[in-house]
Amino acid sequence: MSEPNENEEDPSEPSDFQQSMAQVQRRAKQAADLAGLKEEIEEQDAHSAGEVSFMASPLVQVTLPHSDPGDVDIWDRQNGDILLYIRGGVKQSENGGGEPLGLPYGAYPRLILSWVCTQVTKHGRRRLDLGESLQSYMRDLGVTPSGGDQGTTRRFRDQMRRLFAAQIGFIWTREGHEKRQAALVAEEMDLWWDPKNPSQTTLWDSSVKLSKPFVEAIKKAPVPADRRVLREIKDSALAIDLYFWTTYRASYIEDSLTLSWQQVHDQMGANYSRVSGFAREARKHLEEISLIWSDLKYETPRGRLRLYPSRPSVVDK
């Protein structure tokens, strides 16, 4: 019997050519999907389609963590004269007593915050009904439920608990002046969902009662966006941040705005070991966003992002 040749390719494994072709096909499908969404948005704007979503403007200027900050008491991020900080909540440990719940991070808290800000902006209520099942709530936000330890259902519920238990604060400082604002996201949360059976309905709806200071912060100049775009980019915290930030800044700048990638990185909750890696990902997401939102005008000269006055993704009415 001949010995196996280690240099021979395993026929069960896809070849480099097959992998390259699969990647080309994925990109072609994505481009077609983005072109279709662009056409849909141009035919019917977000207001007419009932697809307007909002985000509190301070959370657009400085954003939540992209990845797990780990075991820290306070996480902060600076943008010019505004400092965002977050304190995590407490959960009941398996042995009794309290222990840190952890800080919210990633795409899910951003999607939940956008839903919360939209409900407050449109209806003005502090108590929000989350529905009778976790699965239906996730689908409403564009997230497909899946089970298991690594599934979306468990991770979504964990991030929701972290967000509603957190305290978010802002400090504005200028020469001779300091202003502070801090609030619990929610002063009351009532969850009846079973993460092991997310489609199960319950006798009582789950709900959250937002704190009054948090609601007041939301009501001050919320940033509008198109929920159809958010559903397309829902898997990336960076893409969501860039989308809200560009439509917010492009709506009021009178001339071009140029920032280094380091400046963009520092205000967006990212924690890349190399800014070049962040810039590469940001350019990719900006290209995707601009394929849908064709009015976005920007350039990426070496080491920088230059944003020009543009028609917002959603024109506020």
Side-chain angles (χ1 to χ4, degrees), residues 129-134 190-194 200-207:
D129 290 331
L130 303 176
E132 59 183 14
S133 78
L134 177 56
D190 202 7
L191 295 182
W192 289 90
W193 299 328
D194 181 359
Q200 180 186 33
T201 58
T202 61
L203 186 60
W204 300 275
D205 283 354
S206 295
S207 65

Side-chain angles (χ1 to χ4, degrees), residues 15-177:
S15 66
D16 291 343
F17 174 75
Q18 289 172 321
Q19 291 177 349
S20 297
M21 287 301 297
Q23 185 177 29
V24 169
Q25 291 172 348
R26 286 195 297 271
R27 289 178 176 174
K29 183 181 184 305
Q30 181 188 34
D33 291 343
L34 295 176
L37 180 55
K38 173 180 177 290
E39 184 176 347
E40 176 188 334
I41 290 173
E42 289 179 346
E43 289 179 354
Q44 188 175 36
D45 66 25
H47 289 284
S48 300
E51 294 282 12
V52 180
S53 190
F54 293 91
M55 182 68 84
S57 57
L59 292 171
V60 173
Q61 299 175 65
V62 197
T63 67
L64 302 182
H66 286 187
S67 56
D68 191 351
D71 186 16
V72 296
D73 294 329
I74 299 175
W75 183 90
D76 60 73
R77 186 63 75 180
Q78 183 89 33
N79 176 20
D81 58 5
I82 180 173
L83 172 75
L84 162 73
Y85 68 88
I86 308 172
R87 296 179 187 268
V90 176
K91 66 178 179 179
Q92 186 174 12
S93 69
E94 294 181 359
N95 300 323
E99 65 180 25
L101 178 58
L103 295 171
Y105 65 89
Y108 291 157
R110 288 162 166 78
L111 296 175
I112 296 169
L113 275 171
S114 179
W115 180 86
V116 165
C117 293
T118 302
Q119 297 303 308
V120 170
T121 301
K122 289 183 175 181
H123 307 297
R125 294 190 294 265
R126 290 175 57 195
R127 183 177 293 279
L128 306 178
D129 290 331
L130 303 176
E132 59 183 14
S133 78
L134 177 56
Q135 189 176 72
S136 64
Y137 182 67
M138 291 175 66
R139 291 190 186 282
D140 188 47
L141 271 63
V143 180
T144 302
S146 62
D149 290 341
Q150 300 303 316
T152 58
T153 300
R154 185 178 295 275
R155 289 185 284 117
F156 184 92
R157 189 176 190 275
D158 175 57
Q159 290 299 324
M160 181 173 60
R161 292 173 66 223
R162 291 181 182 218
L163 175 64
F164 288 147
Q167 180 192 53
I168 298 179
F170 294 93
I171 303 175
W172 291 267
T173 55
R174 292 181 180 175
E175 187 174 353
H177 182 220

Side-chain angles (χ1 to χ4, degrees), residues 179-285:
K179 180 181 178 181
R180 292 173 175 263
Q181 187 175 21
L184 287 170
V185 176
E187 63 181 40
E188 181 182 318
M189 181 176 67
D190 202 7
L191 295 182
W192 289 90
W193 299 328
D194 181 359
K196 296 180 180 179
N197 189 6
S199 61
Q200 180 186 33
T201 58
T202 61
L203 186 60
W204 300 275
D205 283 354
S206 295
S207 65
V208 59
K209 184 178 181 182
L210 306 174
S211 72
K212 188 174 181 179
F214 189 69
V215 167
E216 293 305 313
I218 291 174
K219 290 180 177 180
K220 294 178 181 178
V223 179
D226 195 317
R227 197 158 65 123
R228 293 168 293 184
V229 179
L230 288 175
R231 284 197 292 266
E232 181 66 33
I233 62 176
K234 65 182 182 300
D235 295 325
S236 170
L238 176 56
I240 295 171
D241 287 348
L242 286 167
Y243 174 52
F244 273 111
W245 181 79
T246 49
T247 192
Y248 169 68
R249 295 303 300 267
S251 67
Y252 71 84
I253 57 174
E254 297 180 355
D255 201 351
S256 64
L257 170 69
T258 303
L259 298 175
S260 69
W261 284 118
Q262 182 72 61
Q263 290 174 304
V264 180
H265 171 276
D266 290 348
Q267 74 185 59
M268 288 201 173
N271 191 26
Y272 284 69
S273 57
R274 301 184 61 172
V275 174
S276 59
F278 169 81
R280 183 170 56 252
E281 286 299 304
R283 286 194 295 267
K284 181 186 74 173
H285 290 306

